[in-house]
Amino acid sequence: MSDEILVKTEHLKKYFPVRKSGGGKAFVKAVDDVTLEIGRGETVGLVGESGSGKTTIAKMILGLLPPTENTIYIDGKNVWDRKNTKEIRKKVGAVFQDPASSLNPRSTVYRSLERPLLINGCSKGEAETLIRETAAKVNLGKELLERFPYELSGGQQQRVSIARAIMLRPRLLVLDEPTSALDVSVQAQTLNELLNLQQEYGMSYLFITHNLSVVRYMSDRICVMYGGKVMESGKMADVYENCVHPYTFGLMSSVPPLHPRQRDRKKYLLTGDMPSLIDAPEGCRFCTRCKFRQPVCESQEPAMKDMGDGHFAACHFAGEIEF
Ligand SMILES: Nc1ncnc2c1ncn2[C@@H]1O[C@H](COP(=O)(O)OP(=O)(O)OP(=O)(O)O)[C@@H](O)[C@H]1O
Ligand code: SF4
Ligand SMILES: [Mg+2]
């Protein structure tokens, strides 16, 4: 594994067993053959409609949900090898959408921040120094440390979650819709603070969101998921300005263009819903909604095509379709 790569996973799968309505067992193919790399100090944006498998990937990377097949390496260490658990826990942090649910309502902010430090072997004094330093970094006023979560605004609660996630100075921060529950005015401020923290500590981010404008602002690279599979990935600017997958084109059509000269570009409005992942289509997962589909799309799964310069797309006709 190259030194530049912090997180690597190949052909990762997560199948959830479920009971079929008529009896018998079936599997929800929530993450199905996903290959992903995150470089050091890099932000990879993971986007896709609800149910496309984003959180499931995040939980596997964080060591919270075991993969069905294959594994994840962080700094060359297998996340799912128990002898690495302690070391990996220090290297990853996570921030989720709803800060209130990830904070203990009966603990003050200070106690919530202190607990993981003590568990990781810090003395009370070391913990205090770290807490004060980190609270200042995330603009969490000293006076808030003795409050309870319900006494804080949503933005302040999310700052506590961010402080807790970076307390042990992780190499990777997994951010799953970190600003979706916040007021618009607080969103922009939180995103900028996250960018500053990344610069200061050189962390890598896996940034998960539905919001394409946010992902464009935050990410170096983007990975577009649909129905448990990666549809397209590459450098943010390449994918944003030159997407080659019909699904990405559909998603991109829903956000305003960056340049006024692109205002007249064609749009492709996505209609319909994602099919059930229990009976996922045999060929291309997107074929039930794709207006460019051909007979081959229904029977054969498209391979990942290399479009050059780290840009990949899983479409039989990638690069041939005129959008
Ligand atoms: N424990 C579980 N058992 C069965 N199915 C599950 C389980 N957890 C998730 N799923 C299914 O796996 C698929 C992917 O879910 P996931 O939460 O990863 O999607 P997501 O992309 O994060 O969606 P959202 O944008 O709504 O957060 C969905 O079909 C979901 O219903
Ligand atoms: S493989 Fe076929 S159905 Fe799938 S995105 Fe490409 S054109 Fe559409
Ligand atoms: Mg999710």
Side-chain angles (χ1 to χ4, degrees):
M1 192 158 116
S2 139
D3 276 356
E4 300 300 308
I5 302 298
L6 179 72
V7 182
K8 188 177 175 72
T9 178
E10 279 179 340
H11 309 296
L12 188 66
K13 293 185 185 174
K14 181 69 195 181
Y15 293 177
F16 292 107
V18 286
R19 222 179 280 275
K20 273 191 184 167
S21 46
K25 218 160 118 182
F27 290 93
V28 176
K29 297 182 173 180
V31 173
D32 200 4
D33 206 348
V34 166
T35 293
L36 185 75
E37 281 182 357
I38 308 175
R40 290 179 195 279
E42 179 184 53
T43 297
V44 172
L46 196 55
V47 299
E49 281 163 288
S50 188
S52 56
K54 305 180 297 295
T55 298
T56 306
I57 291 188
K59 286 185 176 166
M60 287 190 279
I61 292 178
L62 288 165
L64 301 174
L65 191 65
T68 305
E69 242 176 65
N70 296 315
T71 191
I72 301 104
Y73 294 90
I74 296 183
D75 249 345
K77 298 266 165 70
N78 182 350
V79 170
W80 284 95
D81 184 336
R82 288 185 70 169
K83 72 174 185 299
N84 298 329
T85 306
K86 217 171 156 194
E87 188 182 338
I88 298 278
R89 282 227 174 103
K90 286 190 194 168
K91 287 190 174 171
V92 298
V95 179
F96 294 101
Q97 176 168 354
D98 180 10
S101 70
S102 59
L103 297 173
N104 182 345
R106 286 182 298 274
S107 287
T108 61
V109 169
Y110 189 90
R111 293 277 168 254
S112 285
L113 297 176
E114 184 186 46
R115 194 166 304 118
L117 295 177
L118 299 183
I119 290 170
N120 274 285
C122 285
S123 69
K124 284 246 174 199
E126 286 164 346
E128 180 169 1
T129 310
L130 261 176
I131 290 168
R132 306 240 169 249
E133 200 181 295
T134 311
K137 288 279 181 246
V138 301
N139 297 320
L140 193 68
K142 284 202 288 275
E143 70 286 359
L144 299 181
L145 292 175
E146 291 312 322
R147 295 209 187 146
F148 288 90
Y150 68 86
E151 295 177 294
L152 305 179
S153 68
Q156 288 167 338
Q157 286 177 352
Q158 198 55 303
R159 286 210 172 92
V160 176
S161 305
I162 295 169
R164 198 173 54 175
I166 64 167
M167 199 61 86
L168 292 163
R169 306 293 178 256
R171 304 318 308 143
L172 171 73
L173 209 53
V174 174
L175 299 139
D176 193 350
E177 302 274 4
T179 58
S180 312
L182 305 179
D183 291 342
V184 176
S185 59
V186 186
Q187 271 186 23
Q189 197 185 344
T190 309
L191 293 175
N192 284 328
E193 285 170 8
L194 284 169
L195 288 175
N196 291 340
L197 288 171
Q198 183 176 37
Q199 279 239 310
E200 175 146 6
Y201 296 123
M203 290 178 283
S204 304
Y205 285 175
L206 179 65
F207 197 98
I208 299 174
T209 178
H210 282 99
N211 188 325
L212 282 165
S213 303
V214 168
V215 89
R216 185 172 68 191
Y217 186 63
M218 296 298 287
S219 313
D220 302 303
R221 284 195 304 123
I222 182 172
C223 180
V224 180
M225 286 197 65
Y226 182 83
K229 287 191 176 281
V230 175
M231 298 285 114
E232 185 161 8
S233 65
K235 287 186 200 147
M236 187 66 229
D238 290 348
V239 174
Y240 191 76
E241 277 165 35
N242 258 322
C243 63
V244 292
H245 195 288
Y247 179 61
T248 316
F249 182 55
L251 283 183
M252 297 295 179
S253 295
S254 64
V255 286
L258 266 187
H259 304 294
R261 64 182 150 80
Q262 291 178 327
R263 214 168 274 156
D264 298 330
R265 75 180 177 188
K266 286 190 199 153
K267 287 199 185 305
Y268 169 24
L269 292 181
L270 291 172
T271 53
D273 294 315
M274 197 159 71
S276 158
L277 296 179
I278 298 178
D279 291 312
E282 251 186 34
C284 172
R285 290 245 163 134
F286 186 54
C287 78
T288 52
R289 293 167 75 188
C290 181
K291 70 171 182 180
F292 302 98
R293 79 172 162 264
Q294 301 287 328
V296 64
C297 305
E298 282 160 42
S299 56
Q300 259 183 51
E301 195 184 333
M304 203 43 104
K305 258 195 197 173
D306 187 346
M307 310 303 294
D309 206 16
H311 186 175
F312 294 91
C315 168
H316 289 299
F317 304 102
E320 296 167 33
I321 301 172
E322 284 276 339
F323 291 126

